[in-house]
Amino acid sequence: MVFSTTLFVFLFLPLFLLGYYLLPFRWRSAWILLASYAFYGWWRVDFLALIILTSLWTDFFGRIIARSLRTKPQQARLALGLGVALNLLTLAYFKYADFGIDSLNAIVELLGGSGFGNANVILPIGISFYIFQASSYLIDIYRQDARPADNILDLAAYIALFPQLIAGPILRYKTLSQQFRRRSHSFAAFNEGSLRFMTGFCKKVLIADSVAPLANASFALAAPSMADAWLGTLAYSVQLYFDFSGYSDMAIGLGLMMGFRFPENFDHPYISKSISEFWRRWHISLSTWLRDYLYVPLGGNRLGRRRTYVNLLLVMLLGGLWHGAAWTFVLWGAWHGLMLALERHYHENQQGNATQGNAAQGNTTRNQLPRWLAVWQTARTMLIVMLGWVTFRAVDFSGAMAVYAGMLGLQGLAISEALAWQLSYFSLLMLGLALLLIYLSPWLRRCWQPLPSPSLSSPSTPWQTASETSVAAVSGGMSGWLATLELLIIPLFALSVLRLAANTFSPFLYFQF
Amino acid sequence: MIEPVSEQMLARTRFKFQLITWLPGAFMLLFLAAGLLMSLLNTATYRLPSEEKLWDGSMAAAYQADFEDNIALRPWALETWTWLSYSLFQEGQPGVLIGDAGWLFTSEEFHYHPNEAEIIAQRLAYVAEVQTLLAEQGIALAIVLVPAKARIYYRRLGRYHYPSYAQVRYAQLLEAIQALGIIAPDIAEAMQQDKEAQPMFLQTDSHWTPQGAQVAAAALASSLTQAELRLPQERFVREYQASRRYPGDLLRFVPLGRWQKASSLRRDTIPVYQTRRTEARNVGLFDEVTIPVSLVGTSYSADDAWHFAGALQASLQSDVLNMALPARGPFEPMRAYLASDTFSQSPPQLVVWEIPERYFPMAEITPDNAKANGGNAPQLLP
């Protein structure tokens, strides 16, 4: 099932929330689990078995780890190894078996032999996400960052939690464990969740789905011109961001409606001034997962410069492969790994030990940089990211090369006839609005520091003096005006629902990860 | 100096702020309640598809499709969104291009096919195969290559430009077909000459008008005369009956509903013809009577609204057996005809094969793969 469908918003979600709030707290995990399995099984009931099995063996190994951690650390280590290996082998089989066979066949055929038959394995949706979550549960238990789940229901509900099951954010059990045991439900949280859900919905349906045809048409051209290639890449960059961040917003919003607070997954990544900064703003849950469970165990930056570069490259290669079973994703990961390593190398050489950590992390603030430099760095980073998205989006290597050739103007300059008739005014308008939103909304957020929303329980605000009261009233007026602006989401959401009801099925890009 | 504010004003500001900030949550509650009510009133909510399987998700997909098609909001949402799209941007659903003054064109005529040359070569190879098979039985083959509507009415395209890769298609295809020794009149040229006098294509439909079909039939008759192909003669007369309003198939891509009256999109008016035999063939008492001409093709021939079969009868003055099939493209009907008992038991003297030019470089269209390719968007099946 997908959030941006009328079935979800008109039937599944109201029924779920009705049941959730009618049930006592002790039954809510079971209700979440039931609903999540129904949500997942909507795609294929038979693959529910895999997610159930994953939950069962994760629980089994988690209990062994917790029991033997103090008394038999080797047994705990073994259980951790087995549990994580089983998870990763499952992922490897379902996601990479056919990729591996195809790659092997290519080599065998090159050497004159005949290849092997494909396994034709069905890729379970969301497997990359729930396997990572299950693995992080075992690792967090081993590292004593979290207690094991009180019961199998809580663990299964954590793994299958439907708001984030299909496309993240990747949640750590240590973040949610307390919330499964105790969380508060308030209208304020529901309100915040509603606003967040509606925002994500608009991003997906109004923007991402509108620019998608531009990207699709451009990437379908065999020999795109310069204008085709750049327009298509820009459209895809916008589509991917609004699709994925829109989904994350909806997931976070749904979580809030249930009293869960999920971590943020995107933080205006396209204003980044370096690739390092980009990875602190894009798919944050994945980048932190890779950092904590892969980069740091490999040694991180503690084993010398060369090893650091190797670790960065390796982590990004695997990160690329995580996104999809194709060499184009590996290339995309390699591109980012290379950029991260180069940035680190450049800053370490240029700025010396004193500012090594800060500069390599691109922490230079807007106030310290001249404006032209900040703009240049943002534009350069965006260019690097867009060049990477070409490989990410292309069907194969030759397709990516065709787009790069187009970008360089080797296949003509102006918009090609094959694309021209497909340029919808509406898509172009949404593309323009999206670019404005990308670069204006961080500035708007900085300008607006909202007053805390007055709660039902404490209506009086402890302002001490009359002048403070006056300032607060004026500020409250300003925040009220800006809060009103944010309420534009409501009619935009209504418009999105209208569009959804009018149009066809609207799946998410990260659906098959 | 800032004036101190009263407690009353503070309370009012606080109250207004509360109301504003809680609107999203309140709206969401109302929205969910309304959505649930709409779902409970939707009869599809209670219908489980019985033909599909539960385990592989096909039942869920069928249920969802049925639910979404029948939700009460959908017709209104479709019309309103289409109205917004049409009035603000002059755009409809994917598949249609909106030209000037209510002229609609199918985007299929504009598609660029990266492997066009390869597909056309395959198609021409099949055409040659058909020609050989027919020739072995002494049957002549004639092809009516129907030009794209955008080719004839390029001046009505508005902001769109008929691409050059599509412009050269007709001439190249005609030359290749004629090079195989097949009778193939230049229908595009005939239509260009006549289009000012009478409409060749409908305004809101992808098909030709009965007048356009007549022009094609007359062009074919002329080509057959030049090729000295003689057919058994009968007298047929094509007679005008009445005019009727006809909602074009492309209007399905601009479903304005109640908003249509406010738009420039209008139903076409087409003449209705009937063709009748006025004088039968002169045959002996014990002679076998076979219909000398078989017509194979798409909805351009199968649908009697265009009356192409009748126009052929009147132009050739010979009987025509219409074996055209709608919604299968031009090649599947030929395969079906050649495998049929009708062909094996009553082979004709001439097979007229109607092929719209836009289908030469396309993948084979069937109702199954059309839906898979286009999802739930309206399909334009030839």
Side-chain angles (χ1 to χ4, degrees), chain A residues 1 3 12 32-43 47-48 51-52 54-55 124-133 156-171 247 251-252 254 258 262 322 510-513:
Chain A
M1 203 182 291
F3 295 158
F12 182 91
I32 288 172
L33 182 64
L34 192 67
S36 299
Y37 281 169
F39 182 88
Y40 189 83
W42 200 258
W43 167 65
F47 274 88
L48 263 180
I51 199 172
I52 291 171
T54 305
S55 307
I125 55 167
I127 190 172
S128 304
F129 291 92
Y130 70 73
I131 288 290
F132 267 31
Q133 285 193 190
Y158 152 71
I159 289 174
L161 194 58
F162 76 85
Q164 51 75 52
L165 174 61
I166 305 293
I170 301 171
L171 301 174
Y247 188 98
I252 291 168
L254 288 170
M258 292 187 259
F262 298 160
W322 177 88
Y510 268 62
F511 204 45
Q512 285 280 325
F513 287 173

Side-chain angles (χ1 to χ4, degrees), chain A residues 1-2 5-11 13-15 17-18 41-47 187-188 190-191 193-195 197-198 206 220-223 257 417-427 429 450-456 459-461 463 466-467 469-474 476-477 479-481 483-484 487 490 493-505, chain B residues 2-7 9-10 13-15 17-29 31-40 45 54-61 63-64 67-69 71 73-82 84-85 88-91 93-94 97 107-112 114 159-167 374-378:
Chain A
M1 203 182 291
V2 167
T5 56
T6 48
L7 183 77
F8 179 83
V9 291
F10 290 150
L11 188 61
L13 186 59
L15 281 178
L17 288 172
L18 193 65
W42 200 258
W43 167 65
R44 286 184 68 112
V45 174
D46 46 3
F47 274 88
F187 188 76
F190 185 86
N191 188 64
S194 301
L195 187 61
F197 179 81
M198 289 193 282
L206 280 185
L221 298 173
M257 287 190 212
E417 286 183 303
L419 186 63
W421 65 268
Q422 300 185 74
L423 294 180
S424 146
Y425 286 165
F426 177 62
S427 297
L429 177 69
L451 285 181
S453 174
S455 70
L456 277 172
S460 41
T461 319
W463 291 313
S467 61
T469 305
S470 307
V471 166
V474 168
S479 296
W481 181 79
T484 310
L487 294 180
I490 295 176
F493 175 72
L495 192 65
S496 305
V497 172
L498 194 79
R499 184 174 193 213
L500 189 71
N503 281 359
T504 58
F505 178 61
Chain B
I2 300 169
E3 297 274 340
V5 294
S6 65
E7 277 299 318
M9 187 176 165
L10 195 63
T13 307
R14 197 185 299 128
F15 180 67
F17 189 78
Q18 265 179 340
L19 274 182
I20 290 168
T21 53
W22 284 340
L23 264 176
F27 173 81
M28 181 57 74
L29 285 174
F31 173 81
L32 291 172
L36 185 60
L37 183 64
M38 206 164 26
S39 300
L40 293 174
T45 303
L54 176 67
W55 300 108
D56 64 0
S58 54
M59 185 187 278
Y63 176 85
Q64 182 165 341
F67 176 91
E68 291 179 346
D69 283 345
I71 197 103
L73 180 66
R74 184 173 155 79
W76 183 82
L78 189 58
E79 289 170 13
T80 308
W81 184 262
T82 306
L84 287 170
S85 194
L88 294 174
F89 305 105
Q90 282 288 290
E91 289 165 3
Q93 296 237 326
L97 301 178
S107 62
E108 287 176 353
E109 293 178 354
F110 290 70
H111 281 162
Y112 171 74
R159 76 180 204 232
Y160 300 101
H161 169 72
Y162 196 44
S164 54
Y165 55 80
Q167 284 180 32
N376 290 329

Side-chain angles (χ1 to χ4, degrees), chain A residues 300-430:
Chain A
N301 58 4
R302 301 188 308 274
L303 303 175
R305 284 168 75 165
R306 269 200 198 145
R307 181 59 188 266
T308 303
Y309 304 150
V310 167
N311 288 343
L312 284 170
L313 193 61
L314 193 61
V315 167
M316 291 314 297
L317 275 174
L318 291 172
L321 197 58
W322 177 88
H323 281 84
W327 289 110
T328 47
F329 292 109
V330 177
L331 271 171
W332 170 79
W335 173 249
H336 276 267
L338 182 64
M339 290 298 119
L340 284 170
L342 282 174
E343 261 181 21
R344 191 164 188 104
H345 177 74
Y346 173 79
H347 285 291
E348 280 172 351
N349 284 347
Q350 288 291 318
Q351 303 210 3
N353 289 335
T355 53
Q356 247 179 31
N358 282 341
Q361 291 168 26
N363 265 351
T364 324
T365 65
R366 193 168 287 275
N367 291 338
Q368 295 168 359
L369 286 177
R371 183 172 291 228
W372 70 267
L373 188 58
V375 169
W376 156 245
Q377 287 181 342
T378 304
R380 182 191 61 196
T381 305
M382 186 64 184
L383 176 66
I384 294 171
V385 167
M386 282 173 64
L387 290 175
W389 287 144
V390 170
T391 323
F392 193 87
R393 170 61 176 80
V395 172
D396 51 29
F397 186 67
S398 61
M401 286 297 111
V403 176
Y404 289 133
M407 283 173 148
L408 292 171
L410 302 178
Q411 290 156 171
L413 300 176
I415 291 276
S416 64
E417 286 183 303
L419 186 63
W421 65 268
Q422 300 185 74
L423 294 180
S424 146
Y425 286 165
F426 177 62
S427 297
L428 290 170
L429 177 69
M430 286 296 116

Side-chain angles (χ1 to χ4, degrees), chain B residues 28 46 145 149 190:
Chain B
M28 181 57 74
Y46 310 101
L145 188 63
K149 178 178 168 181

Side-chain angles (χ1 to χ4, degrees), chain A residues 105-315:
Chain A
N105 283 347
I107 298 169
V108 166
E109 279 158 16
L110 202 65
L111 296 171
S114 57
F116 305 97
N118 259 17
N120 291 321
V121 181
I122 296 172
L123 174 64
I125 55 167
I127 190 172
S128 304
F129 291 92
Y130 70 73
I131 288 290
F132 267 31
Q133 285 193 190
S135 302
S136 81
Y137 172 78
L138 295 174
I139 298 169
D140 287 350
I141 305 259
Y142 181 79
R143 287 178 178 176
Q144 299 182 70
D145 285 339
R147 262 178 34 212
D150 288 346
N151 53 67
I152 179 88
L153 275 181
D154 279 354
L155 173 63
Y158 152 71
I159 289 174
L161 194 58
F162 76 85
Q164 51 75 52
L165 174 61
I166 305 293
I170 301 171
L171 301 174
R172 314 277 186 95
Y173 188 70
K174 62 185 178 187
T175 314
L176 287 194
S177 57
Q178 274 298 102
Q179 297 186 64
F180 268 101
R181 292 186 185 101
R182 195 173 37 250
R183 60 186 179 274
S184 64
H185 299 82
S186 65
F187 188 76
F190 185 86
N191 188 64
E192 189 186 342
S194 301
L195 187 61
R196 202 63 191 270
F197 179 81
M198 289 193 282
T199 304
F201 198 91
C202 294
K203 281 163 110 173
K204 162 64 181 164
V205 176
L206 280 185
I207 297 179
D209 287 352
S210 302
V211 303
L214 284 178
N216 293 342
S218 169
F219 276 84
L221 298 173
S225 66
M226 185 186 243
D228 296 342
W230 282 106
L231 180 65
T233 305
L234 187 66
Y236 183 67
S237 305
V238 164
Q239 177 199 356
L240 188 62
Y241 171 59
F242 279 88
D243 191 287
F244 198 13
S245 68
Y247 188 98
S248 293
D249 284 339
M250 284 192 263
I252 291 168
L254 288 170
L256 279 165
M257 287 190 212
M258 292 187 259
F260 286 104
R261 195 159 279 276
F262 298 160
E264 290 298 329
N265 211 17
F266 288 87
D267 181 18
H268 309 292
Y270 287 160
I271 65 166
S272 303
K273 290 185 289 299
S274 67
I275 293 297
S276 309
E277 187 183 347
F278 176 79
W279 281 103
R280 287 195 309 279
R281 292 172 176 273
W282 177 277
H283 203 175
I284 299 166
S285 63
L286 175 69
S287 60
T288 52
W289 197 101
L290 290 173
R291 180 197 64 201
D292 294 344
Y293 298 118
L294 196 56
Y295 181 68
V296 167
L298 282 174
N301 58 4
R302 301 188 308 274
L303 303 175
R305 284 168 75 165
R306 269 200 198 145
R307 181 59 188 266
T308 303
Y309 304 150
V310 167
N311 288 343
L312 284 170
L313 193 61
L314 193 61
V315 167

Side-chain angles (χ1 to χ4, degrees), chain B residues 313-352:
Chain B
Q313 286 174 323
S315 297
L316 301 179
Q317 292 294 290
S318 206
D319 202 2
V320 173
L321 177 65
N322 194 350
M323 298 299 291
L325 294 171
R328 305 273 188 90
F331 302 101
E332 182 55 33
M334 178 57 80
R335 278 192 277 271
Y337 172 64
L338 294 176
S340 69
D341 290 338
T342 309
F343 175 71
S344 58
Q345 289 166 14
S346 312
Q349 272 182 256
L350 168 72
V351 170
V352 176

Side-chain angles (χ1 to χ4, degrees), chain B residues 90-161:
Chain B
Q90 282 288 290
E91 289 165 3
Q93 296 237 326
V96 74
L97 301 178
I98 299 177
D100 282 342
W103 277 82
L104 303 180
F105 298 85
T106 170
S107 62
E108 287 176 353
E109 293 178 354
F110 290 70
H111 281 162
Y112 171 74
H113 308 275
N115 51 349
E116 176 163 328
E118 192 188 313
I119 296 181
I120 288 178
Q122 287 169 4
R123 299 269 188 255
L124 286 171
Y126 178 66
V127 168
E129 223 178 275
V130 170
Q131 186 201 22
T132 305
L133 191 144
L134 293 174
E136 281 167 2
Q137 299 185 50
I139 303 169
L141 174 65
I143 287 181
V144 172
L145 188 63
V146 184
K149 178 178 168 181
R151 175 181 305 286
I152 307 300
Y153 288 103
Y154 56 89
R155 288 209 171 95
R156 301 290 188 179
L157 288 171
R159 76 180 204 232
Y160 300 101
H161 169 72

